[in-house]
Structures are given as C-alpha cells and as structure tokens.
Amino acid sequence: DISLSVQMGTKAVLCCPHIPPTSVLIITTWKIHLRDKLSCSMSLNRERNQSEKNNCTDGRISWASRPDQNPELQIHPVSISHEGDYRCEMGTLEGNFEHTYHLQVLVPPEVTLSLEKNRTVECKAIAGRPAAQIFWAPEGDCVTGKEYQDNGTVTTRSRCHYPDGNLSTVTCLVSHPTGNRSQSIDLLPG
Ligand SMILES: *[C@@H]1O[C@H](CO)[C@@H](O)[C@H](O)[C@H]1NC(C)=O
Ligand SMILES: *[C@@H]1O[C@H](CO)[C@@H](O)[C@H](O)[C@H]1NC(C)=O
Ligand SMILES: *[C@@H]1O[C@H](CO)[C@@H](O)[C@H](O)[C@H]1NC(C)=O
Ligand SMILES: *[C@@H]1O[C@H](CO)[C@@H](O)[C@H](O)[C@H]1NC(C)=O
Ligand SMILES: *[C@@H]1O[C@H](CO)[C@@H](O)[C@H](O)[C@H]1NC(C)=O
Ligand SMILES: *[C@@H]1O[C@H](CO)[C@@H](O)[C@H](O)[C@H]1NC(C)=O
C-alpha cells in the first residue's frame, strides 16, 4: 500500500504494479473507494482491447492515456472529494498483482498577518488541508485555535500580545505540507 499526497488542482497519475515481462496480462481493473463512500470501478480486458466496464461517473477520473497501451489512472484536476483508496488489480495468466494508493489531498492555506491595537498581532492560515501549524518568533503571549470548514479545509488562527515595548518586529511562521511560509510585521511603539 502506498500513501500519496497530491495538491488540489493538480493532475495525479497513479501507476499499476509492475508485472514480470513474461506474464500475459488478461485484465486490469481500478477499484476506487472515495471517502464519502462512493465506489466505482474501471476495467480493461487486454485480449478484447476495449474498456469493458466503467461506472465511474466523475469525468475527472479517467485512463491516463490509451488504455490498450497503458493502464495508468489519471485524476485531473484533483479536488478534496477525490480522497480515498485506489486499487489497481492486474490479472495475468500467472496470477494476480495489485496495489492500493491511499490518496490524501493537500490545500495550501492563504496566510495573513495583521496588526491590532495594544501590541497584539494576528496570524491566520486560511482554508488549508490538513490544518497548518503556526509558530512565532519571538514567542509571545499567544492564543491559537482552529476552525473547521464544511468543505474539509481548516483555518488556523493565532493571536499574540507582546508587552515588551522594545520589541519592534515579530514573525509568524506557517508550517504546512505544501510548504512553509513566514511573514513579518512591525509593532507600533509603546
Ligand atoms: C459500480 O459497480 C459496483 C459493482 O458492480 C457497485 O458496487 C458500485 O456501487 C457502482 N458504482 C456506481 C457509482 O454506480
Ligand atoms: C486496440 O484498439 C485501438 C483503438 O481502440 C487500436 O488502435 C489498436 O491497434 C488496438 N490494439 C490491438 C493490439 O488490437
Ligand atoms: C493591553 O493588553 C494587556 C495584556 O493583555 C492588558 O492588560 C491591557 O489592559 C491592554 N490595554 C488596552 C488599552 O487594551
Ligand atoms: C472552503 O471554504 C472556505 C470558507 O468558506 C473558503 O474560503 C475556501 O476557499 C474553500 N476551499 C475549498 C478548497 O473549497
Ligand atoms: C528596553 O530598552 C531600554 C534601553 O535599551 C532598556 O533600558 C530597557 O530595560 C528595555 N526594556 C525591556 C522591557 O527589555
Ligand atoms: C516546515 O516546518 C516544520 C516545523 O518547523 C519542519 O519540521 C519542516 O521540516 C519544514 N518543512 C520544510 C519543507 O521546510
């Protein structure tokens, strides 16, 4: 089994297992179980050279190229609803080969940093998946929380107070699997 993380909006291509060059391929089937319980399958009978069965109605899931040449599956563009398990089964005269991908969809958060009254700053990592983590340099007197949106994204919000009147600049560091980012802001004096 293979864990695979792909960014929303991109194209994902999933490969089938490598079969020994001497084996005779009869049928390739992709079985798809999406997290919201929908399941469907697509199969190709190599001898008859045609796509036999396909009850996957999501037009973004298709064979990557001509299936008689290549049984890879393509998801384009990837959305959060595509999270789930994708199993490629290859039936050959010598036996069956299969593997399963556990697909996780990543959404980069939008980062904002704003200055509030009284030497307080707020950093937000908006609508990321999974939830982003927020760190500060230097550490302040902080309150951090998460808001879960219906579409599966999470907004992380952290608000910090800096009573030290000599400190002039603070930095918010957002850590996320799609890449870490940082933003700095100047505090008002006093
Ligand atoms: C596709 O077919 C499989 C097995 O025949 C069935 O379990 C599944 O619910 C079907 N999916 C759709 C979307 O019709
Ligand atoms: C399979 O079908 C395609 C068209 O659908 C054709 O171009 C190709 O030559 C066929 N291959 C074999 C091995 O019959
Ligand atoms: C500024 O923040 C400090 C610490 O949270 C608090 O004690 C103080 O009352 C605040 N002052 C104003 C004017 O809000
Ligand atoms: C999810 O919902 C939030 C809040 O409504 C929105 O800002 C964000 O763009 C949405 N993201 C996706 C991937 O649909
Ligand atoms: C702020 O800086 C001044 C001058 O460098 C120093 O005397 C004072 O102790 C500093 N205050 C704090 C809270 O560090
Ligand atoms: C992002 O930040 C986290 C926490 O500081 C760190 O563990 C991780 O290695 C960083 N990732 C990248 C790609 O720099």
Side-chain angles (χ1 to χ4, degrees):
D1 287 12
I2 304 159
S3 288
L4 187 66
S5 292
V6 294
Q7 196 163 322
M8 190 181 77
T10 61
K11 176 164 92 174
V13 174
L14 313 187
C15 308
C16 286
H18 286 292
I19 59 172
T22 52
S23 43
V24 179
L25 181 63
I26 308 293
I27 190 161
T28 304
T29 303
W30 278 99
K31 291 188 176 164
I32 302 168
H33 296 274
L34 299 181
R35 204 142 286 170
D36 59 13
K37 301 285 186 279
L38 253 151
S39 69
C40 69
S41 68
M42 292 164 55
S43 62
L44 177 78
N45 187 320
R46 179 56 63 99
E47 282 184 331
R48 283 193 237 151
N49 186 19
Q50 59 188 6
S51 190
E52 289 276 288
K53 265 193 319 189
N54 182 350
N55 71 351
C56 298
T57 52
D58 183 338
R60 294 166 296 184
I61 299 177
S62 61
W63 297 102
S65 58
R66 277 193 23 203
D68 61 305
Q69 294 176 335
N70 187 345
E72 289 170 353
L73 188 78
Q74 167 179 302
I75 312 169
H76 183 62
V78 173
S79 79
I80 293 174
S81 63
H82 291 128
E83 276 199 355
D85 296 335
Y86 294 76
R87 183 160 86 233
C88 180
E89 298 176 351
M90 299 183 102
T92 74
L93 281 183
E94 292 75 19
N96 295 331
F97 299 84
E98 62 173 62
H99 64 207
T100 302
Y101 293 90
H102 303 290
L103 189 78
Q104 189 195 12
V105 178
L106 307 177
V107 183
E110 184 199 335
V111 178
T112 65
L113 178 59
S114 58
L115 187 61
E116 301 189 347
K117 280 185 195 136
N118 196 11
R119 298 185 63 81
T120 297
V121 288
E122 186 180 57
C123 186
K124 287 195 275 188
I126 301 162
R129 183 178 179 89
Q133 281 182 288
I134 294 180
F135 304 96
W136 292 91
E139 277 296 329
D141 182 2
C142 303
V143 178
T144 301
K146 293 187 177 110
E147 277 166 43
Y148 293 83
Q149 272 101 227
D150 290 342
N151 60 18
T153 62
V154 185
T155 295
T156 307
R157 174 195 294 269
S158 183
R159 172 182 281 167
C160 300
H161 179 65
Y162 288 93
D164 175 0
N166 286 357
L167 185 65
S168 59
T169 302
V170 296
T171 301
C172 165
L173 304 149
V174 173
S175 167
H176 194 264
T178 58
N180 292 343
R181 274 174 294 158
S182 70
Q183 281 187 20
S184 296
I185 198 167
D186 288 338
L187 295 170
L188 299 174

